[in-house]
Amino acid sequence: MTEYKLQYFNMMGHAEPARLIFAYAGVQYEDERVEKSAWPKTKPTTPHGQLPVLYVDGKPLSQSRVIERYLAKAFGLAGENDWEMAKMDELVACVEDFLIEIHPWFKEQDNAKKVEIFKKLIDSTIIPFITAFETILVTNGTGYFVGDKISFADLAIFHIFWFMNSKILPGALRKYPKLLEFVDKIAAIDTIKSWINSRPKTEA
């Protein structure tokens, strides 16, 4: 049996979609959480001085989206063909672009500046992002973003909208019924629900 270890900080962050993949697939793994105080010592042991790192039978694999894609292929969450896989990669790349755009807001420590950044992001980035993904979901018409069954892209997208609706802008999806229905549907899957209820409680 393959042994997996996922190494990341004690937060959801870039490792959470991979954790959701493990949870959905019902595959056991070691969820190693590195405290910030231990990072200087741990950093030189990682392939590129970054986390997360997935260890597969002791062999390291870095970069969060690469890890997600690898696990998706291993657990049957990578679509039916190359086209579906490419569309999944496309959507996950859009999520990554969105996270890069809102990163200054997460990073800012000054509350006044944080508010100003957020005001600009609402109209320029956040609302267009939500609207675009609502449209994609409506257009596909299956309740999933690619094809007619759940994929690793759905889990990555679920995480960002769950986090947005729960942490950043509570209730933000009320005006986007298909997205809200999607988030509620994924959150209600037994293995996902169990993980959400049992995972360490962190702010990000």
Side-chain angles (χ1 to χ4, degrees):
M1 178 181 289
T2 304
E3 293 186 358
Y4 298 99
K5 179 173 77 171
L6 185 62
Q7 186 182 48
Y8 192 60
F9 299 109
N10 186 24
M11 58 190 298
M12 289 180 280
H14 291 293
E16 200 61 20
R19 294 183 184 125
L20 288 168
I21 291 171
F22 276 119
Y24 178 79
V27 175
Q28 295 295 313
Y29 71 106
E30 180 183 350
D31 183 20
E32 182 181 306
R33 295 181 178 240
V34 178
E35 296 299 333
K36 292 292 179 69
S37 60
W39 176 232
K41 184 178 179 179
T42 305
K43 183 175 181 177
T45 70
T46 65
H48 306 290
Q50 297 175 326
L51 294 177
V53 177
L54 174 69
Y55 291 89
V56 182
D57 289 335
K59 297 180 293 185
L61 182 66
S62 191
Q63 296 295 328
S64 58
R65 300 309 182 187
V66 175
I67 290 169
E68 292 163 34
R69 194 179 304 114
Y70 174 85
L71 293 175
K73 289 181 177 179
F75 304 153
L77 295 170
E80 298 297 326
N81 50 55
D82 289 344
W83 178 255
E84 287 192 357
M85 182 69 167
K87 294 301 290 184
M88 291 171 193
D89 283 339
E90 174 189 322
L91 294 177
V92 171
C94 289
V95 170
E96 194 65 25
D97 287 344
F98 174 74
L99 292 174
I100 291 170
E101 288 190 59
I102 67 171
H103 183 70
W105 176 75
F106 276 107
K107 190 176 180 180
E108 182 59 58
Q109 297 298 311
D110 182 275
N111 285 333
K113 291 181 181 179
K114 201 174 183 74
V115 169
E116 287 302 311
I117 292 171
F118 193 74
K119 286 179 180 177
K120 293 177 182 178
L121 286 172
I122 281 288
D123 291 330
S124 68
T125 303
I126 296 174
I127 291 178
F129 179 75
I130 299 174
T131 303
F133 274 74
E134 172 84 351
T135 300
I136 294 166
L137 197 54
V138 170
T139 301
N140 194 41
T142 65
Y144 301 104
F145 278 89
V146 179
D148 59 2
K149 62 181 182 180
I150 194 169
S151 72
F152 77 99
D154 290 303
L155 293 173
I157 294 165
F158 161 76
H159 173 62
I160 190 62
F161 284 113
W162 176 91
F163 189 80
M164 183 185 296
N165 203 49
S166 302
K167 301 278 189 177
I168 301 176
L169 287 168
L173 299 184
R174 282 194 296 264
K175 295 181 180 180
Y176 304 90
K178 285 297 182 182
L179 269 177
L180 183 57
E181 180 183 344
F182 169 79
V183 169
D184 288 345
K185 176 177 68 177
I186 302 300
I189 295 170
D190 286 344
T191 51
I192 298 296
K193 182 178 180 179
S194 177
W195 169 247
I196 290 173
N197 290 337
S198 64
R199 66 187 174 189
K201 306 304 178 187
T202 60
E203 288 301 312

